[in-house]
Amino acid sequence: MLTGIHILLTYKCDRECEHCFVHAGPGAPGTFTLAQLDAVLEELPRIGTIETVFFEGGEPFLFYPVMREGMRRAAALGLVVGTVTNAYWATVVEDALAWLTPLQQAGLTSLVLSEDALHGGEAGDARPGHARAAAERLGVSCSTITTEHPRVEPAAAPGEAPTVSGGVMFRGRAAHTLIEGLPRSPCAEFTECPHEDLREPGRVHVDAAGYVHLCQGLSMGDMWQTPLSRLVAAYNPEAHPVCGPLLEGGPALLAETYGIEHEDAYVSACHFCYSLRRALLDRFPRYLGPPQVYGRDPT
């Protein structure tokens, strides 16, 4: 049952994090207009099961007025409203209050902070703490996303392979920047998707290009061609050209299904799947994209 819509308000960001799923950065195109937000929001009652709307990015605070108005309109529909941010704007607590108070008045109830070295924060960066203190004063729920740089953990027992810890999912920019020196496993071992429920997703991400992401870069379809409520109602995971093989046999079967040439081993299922989807990008542009999420020039 689909209960959450996560709006990728923009792919622009003040940072270019090494592990970013969507290759966000200062020059990334793709930002919602208010008219586009309205087109999404008016579809949500027709779906009938949506409870929460989150505004994400990139960095959504770069387009603060549009985000605030989007929150107000989502809250007017009776939806729980949240946002995810790196808190670049929370220079001191008083300033953080000035940023968050209008959002709380518009309907914001949940603030999620990206707070770690991988997210580009400076050593001893106090800004997430300032944002947290302001949220607490306003009664806004606050939580933290923390991802550590990948590190190799020794084998737990003789004969077992070493593992990678830190929480990075090797898709998006991480599949290009963070894999060097990490242990790999044979492709045949990757027979399922361990992270996303592609059969019955609980949430999807939507972007200004119209992609309805089941996983970043893997789309249900184009909501500008088919209205979101109809797209959700018609979604058939087994018939989806990418999700179908992934559900039946993971990245290993996806590679076999389309005869994709690939390396012998990968760091993770995400790493293998992302590499395969990147190879299929031109074949299934409706379901894989936008190109920038795969490190391709959007033009």
Side-chain angles (χ1 to χ4, degrees), residues 29-220:
T31 300
F32 270 91
T33 64
L34 276 174
Q36 288 177 317
L37 284 178
D38 275 340
V40 173
L41 293 174
E42 71 182 13
E43 286 293 298
L44 304 191
R46 296 167 186 162
I47 296 173
T49 56
I50 303 301
E51 300 171 355
T52 62
V53 173
F54 265 74
F55 290 81
E56 305 180 10
E59 176 48 62
F61 277 69
L62 293 175
F63 295 88
Y64 182 89
V66 176
M67 177 175 66
R68 181 185 60 200
E69 181 59 18
M71 288 180 174
R72 187 190 68 78
R73 297 180 188 189
L77 295 173
L79 300 169
V80 175
V81 176
T83 187
V84 181
T85 176
N86 64 31
Y88 79 90
W89 40 271
T91 50
V92 295
V93 174
E94 290 74 18
D95 284 11
L97 280 167
W99 284 81
L100 288 181
T101 298
L103 300 184
Q104 188 268 340
Q105 293 170 344
L108 177 68
T109 62
S110 179
L111 179 72
V112 180
L113 302 172
S114 302
E115 185 179 6
D116 53 63
L118 264 180
H119 276 103
E122 303 165 0
D125 191 351
R127 289 174 292 183
H130 296 156
R132 187 178 299 106
E136 289 174 356
R137 289 193 196 179
L138 294 170
V140 173
S141 172
C142 188
S143 59
T144 301
I145 296 173
T146 301
T147 308
E148 300 177 353
H149 199 280
R151 60 183 181 274
V152 180
E153 303 290 350
E160 293 186 5
T163 58
V164 179
S165 62
V168 170
M169 294 185 185
F170 295 93
R171 58 197 187 209
R173 195 175 283 131
H176 302 277
T177 62
L178 295 176
I179 60 173
E180 186 175 353
L182 296 179
R184 299 189 177 207
S185 300
C187 296
E189 294 185 6
F190 300 120
T191 58
E192 63 179 0
C193 172
H195 300 297
E196 302 290 350
D197 188 346
L198 300 176
R199 183 168 280 107
E200 296 182 359
R203 59 94 182 92
V204 292
H205 292 73
V206 298
D207 69 19
Y211 289 95
V212 181
H213 301 253
L214 297 151
C215 170
Q216 285 80 2
L218 174 58
S219 179
M220 184 182 291

Side-chain angles (χ1 to χ4, degrees), residues 161-162 164 170 183-195 245-256 262-276:
V164 179
F170 295 93
R184 299 189 177 207
S185 300
C187 296
E189 294 185 6
F190 300 120
T191 58
E192 63 179 0
C193 172
H195 300 297
L246 288 175
L247 285 166
E248 185 177 347
L253 184 59
L254 182 63
E256 180 183 339
H262 55 79
E263 299 178 37
D264 294 331
Y266 288 85
V267 175
S268 67
C270 280
H271 182 207
F272 189 16
C273 182
Y274 171 82
S275 299
L276 297 173

